[in-house]
Amino acid sequence: MTDTRTLDANLPRLQAIEADIAAGRLREAGVAIEALAAVSPADPRVYLASSVLARATGDLPGEIASLRRAVALAPRRPRVRLELAKALARAGNHPEA
């Protein structure tokens, strides 16, 4: 089970990743996501951030893969499921979306 304190400790790192993506520092965001995934592989927010990075780089298959991982970790989180449905729709996979 994931420690809630670990998840809370991840929040500043996730916010920094989001800021890097918004500022176009995509390489830095990718490095930060890899580092965070190494220490918190069960935090679905890591894979949600990875999907945002993939979308920013035009990597739709990577976006979908990241969102599938997030859904596997947090199947009851509506935002994660919604983001996966939107990505699947963009990929033309409307039945699964």
Side-chain angles (χ1 to χ4, degrees), residues 48-89:
L48 190 57
S50 179
S51 75
V52 173
L53 176 61
R55 185 165 185 201
T57 62
D59 179 10
L60 186 55
E63 179 183 2
I64 291 170
S66 291
L67 289 166
R68 286 188 195 281
R69 176 76 174 142
V71 167
L73 292 169
R76 295 179 188 229
R77 284 197 178 168
R79 177 178 177 207
V80 177
R81 296 184 76 76
L82 175 63
E83 293 302 325
L84 176 57
K86 291 189 308 188
L88 290 167

Side-chain angles (χ1 to χ4, degrees), residues 9-62:
N10 290 344
L11 186 58
R13 294 175 78 179
L14 289 161
Q15 291 170 331
I17 290 166
E18 289 176 7
D20 281 344
I21 293 169
R25 295 185 298 269
L26 304 181
R27 186 170 194 195
E28 293 86 345
V31 170
I33 288 169
E34 287 180 20
L36 189 54
V39 296
S40 296
D43 186 344
R45 300 173 301 172
V46 173
Y47 304 99
L48 190 57
S50 179
S51 75
V52 173
L53 176 61
R55 185 165 185 201
T57 62
D59 179 10
L60 186 55

